Amino acid sequence: MDISYIINELGEERENYFNAIAPPIIQTSNFSFKKVEDLRKAFEDEMGGYLYSRGLNPTVEILRKKLAALDGAEDCLVFNSGAAAIFAGVFANVKSGDHIVSVKAPYTWAQRMFDVILPRFGVTTTYIDGTEIDNWESATQASTSLYYLESPNSWDFALQPLAEVSALAKSKGIITFIDNSFCTPLYQNVIGMGIDLAMQTATKYISGHSDTLGGVLSGSKSMIKKIFDSEYLNIGSGIQPFNAWLLIRGLRTLPARLARISKTTGEVLEFVKQHQKIESVIFPFDDAFPQVSLARQQMTGACGLMTIVLKTRDMNEIVLFCESLQHIMMAVSWGGHESLVIPKCAGLKPNEFDPKNKEHRYIRLYVGLEDSGYLINDLGQALEKIKE
Ligand SMILES: *Cc1c(COP(=O)(O)O)cnc(C)c1O
């Protein structure tokens, strides 16, 4: 399906709302019935029609159709956050006694679920270096029911060979779940590579304006129905109509924003790579990236995140660099209009900082929609301030 069609037309029934270009926000909690028989049908299958907005809502339906199509999936559900989508998708596919194989250092709240919540229900997790297919094979146990992937990771951008991992999983009857937030379905079609459940946070690139949260879970009709009937309705964290409307609005410009961000990122990357105060830069499409050929094979773009490492090993200099930026703000998240940095050391107590541990020196840079010259000048003046 054509991306322009998906973004501009799919799911929209403009003749039903005065031919308005922008869809209405159907801000209602419930829907009324004239016939008891119709109400009975809605109780029997809540996914079959509108009953209550914790389940289906017409504004959310437009968004669901578009997001499923972008993923090339049969169906999807949209949650109030990416974390809720992860929770529902994982929870729906494990039971007591099951085992999960996960990439090491997945998104914080996925890891929190594996480490804190699931063990209370008798579900254990083994973390692996997911870059090699053999590591998946050797970590698999008889009770393994789920492979948890995140490719690329959003700090060191480690990738997994997706087609190989999904083929291995299929041969063993294991469900594959991926966090595809980094690329979005525009730059990495994970369903096409055989992944069962594709999750992405909509808070980042889909919203694109740093003004709402959301999360997407795409897969087969039967998988999505299973999750709707249990976890989705039970957790009650489906996206609300206004937020869904904001995400539809964000989608209209998603390809244009990603193209612009990709171009600017290339220019910023060239600047930081050659700078004398920078030791290294990690970016999946950079020739120095260890998995660059796999990245170019399974991704069609790499968007706006990169990790930079300064030559200095002094944490105070890392702090000085981040605090000296005049336009690039310091904040969590990414995918919005505004460029951001976040230093890894902010997640450590000062006495935990180990200058010999390169990861502790990571500074993640997100390139937004500003002009590249504006960002390069800001990075340049902040680099001037620090010692080599
Ligand atoms: C932000 C993020 C999430 C979680 O999304 P929320 O919408 O913030 O809950 C999951 N995975 C990755 C890689 C993220 O960056």
Side-chain angles (χ1 to χ4, degrees):
M1 218 184 287
D2 199 309
I3 286 180
S4 298
Y5 171 74
I6 295 171
I7 285 173
N8 293 297
E9 292 155 80
L10 181 67
E12 303 189 54
E13 295 167 23
R14 295 190 168 106
E15 62 283 5
N16 292 344
Y17 34 86
F18 313 104
N19 295 308
I21 302 290
I25 304 167
I26 310 282
Q27 190 72 28
T28 186
S29 56
N30 45 359
F31 299 84
S32 66
F33 292 79
K34 289 259 192 303
K35 302 266 182 222
V36 170
E37 183 51 27
D38 292 343
L39 185 56
R40 186 175 293 127
K41 277 202 198 107
F43 283 143
E44 276 167 11
D45 177 17
E46 195 166 337
M47 215 178 185
Y50 300 119
L51 169 73
Y52 190 54
S53 284
R54 176 149 41 76
L56 301 185
N57 170 281
T59 308
V60 176
E61 285 305 284
I62 298 172
L63 180 63
R64 266 182 68 207
K65 291 202 175 96
K66 290 182 189 296
L67 289 171
L70 283 181
D71 259 321
E74 286 175 9
D75 204 353
C76 82
L77 291 171
V78 192
F79 293 78
N80 240 327
S81 72
I86 293 172
F87 195 94
V90 170
F91 215 78
N93 286 292
V94 292
K95 60 179 188 323
S96 177
D98 279 357
H99 172 252
I100 296 171
V101 179
S102 167
V103 288
K104 65 175 183 214
Y107 179 67
T108 318
W109 295 97
Q111 181 152 0
R112 197 69 63 88
M113 176 177 191
F114 299 147
D115 293 348
V116 178
I117 298 177
L118 292 181
R120 302 208 312 254
F121 301 91
V123 176
T124 55
T125 302
T126 303
Y127 295 105
I128 60 162
D129 167 357
T131 58
E132 302 291 334
I133 185 71
D134 293 348
N135 297 346
W136 292 92
E137 176 101 57
S138 54
T140 303
Q141 304 174 2
S143 59
T144 304
S145 62
L146 187 82
Y147 283 171
Y148 188 92
L149 302 94
E150 183 182 331
S151 185
N153 172 288
S154 69
W155 273 91
D156 63 9
F157 314 127
L159 312 178
Q160 300 97 57
L162 301 184
E164 284 177 61
V165 176
S166 51
L168 174 69
K170 280 203 170 52
S171 75
K172 295 175 182 292
I174 293 167
I175 301 282
T176 43
F177 179 114
I178 192 169
D179 181 338
N180 193 32
S181 299
F182 183 97
C183 282
T184 83
L186 255 55
Y187 285 171
Q188 180 165 262
N189 175 231
V190 295
I191 298 280
M193 286 183 263
I195 297 288
D196 295 309
L197 263 176
M199 173 270 164
Q200 59 171 321
T201 166
T203 312
K204 313 287 166 61
Y205 288 122
I206 293 180
S207 155
H209 294 76
S210 302
D211 52 11
T212 183
L213 283 88
V216 190
L217 206 50
S218 295
S220 67
K221 267 222 151 3
S222 60
M223 171 64 86
I224 294 301
K225 171 111 173 75
K226 172 176 106 162
I227 296 170
F228 177 87
D229 284 340
S230 51
E231 284 76 14
Y232 184 81
L233 284 171
N234 232 300
I235 298 170
S237 191
I239 193 140
Q240 294 301 296
F242 180 62
N243 288 356
W245 186 87
L246 283 173
L247 294 179
I248 293 168
R249 183 165 120 133
L251 273 181
R252 308 279 197 216
T253 57
L254 179 65
R257 285 185 286 107
L258 291 189
R260 157 106 178 170
I261 288 168
S262 298
K263 179 168 178 291
T264 313
T265 302
E267 290 160 10
V268 171
L269 181 71
E270 287 313 308
F271 171 75
V272 285
K273 267 178 68 175
Q274 54 74 43
H275 200 283
Q276 74 203 37
K277 289 185 183 166
I278 300 231
E279 180 182 291
S280 58
V281 184
I282 316 173
F283 182 69
F285 272 18
D286 184 47
D287 290 333
F289 183 68
Q291 293 178 290
V292 65
S293 60
L294 180 62
R296 291 203 180 270
Q297 185 194 319
Q298 58 190 25
M299 297 157 53
T300 55
C303 315
L305 285 177
M306 68 180 81
T307 290
I308 59 184
V309 184
L310 304 177
K311 278 189 186 153
T312 177
R313 307 213 156 191
D314 182 345
M315 190 177 81
N316 294 323
E317 296 297 306
I318 297 173
V319 169
L320 179 64
F321 167 74
C322 293
E323 294 181 357
S324 297
L325 292 163
Q326 310 265 300
H327 302 298
I328 300 173
M329 290 181 277
M330 193 164 23
V332 297
S333 198
W334 42 274
H337 55 93
E338 77 291 7
S339 294
L340 299 170
V341 286
I342 184 160
K344 195 85 177 180
C345 67
L348 302 167
K349 297 204 175 66
N351 64 357
E352 289 170 350
F353 180 81
D354 174 6
K356 290 191 292 298
N357 184 339
K358 192 170 172 177
E359 278 185 30
H360 287 189
R361 296 190 287 130
Y362 281 179
I363 301 170
R364 192 175 70 188
L365 172 65
Y366 165 68
V367 174
L369 289 167
E370 303 92 334
D371 287 332
S372 58
Y374 185 73
L375 299 175
I376 287 169
N377 283 341
D378 198 18
L379 291 164
Q381 64 80 25
L383 286 166
E384 293 275 292
K385 299 220 165 77
I386 61 168
K387 294 204 267 309
E388 210 169 285

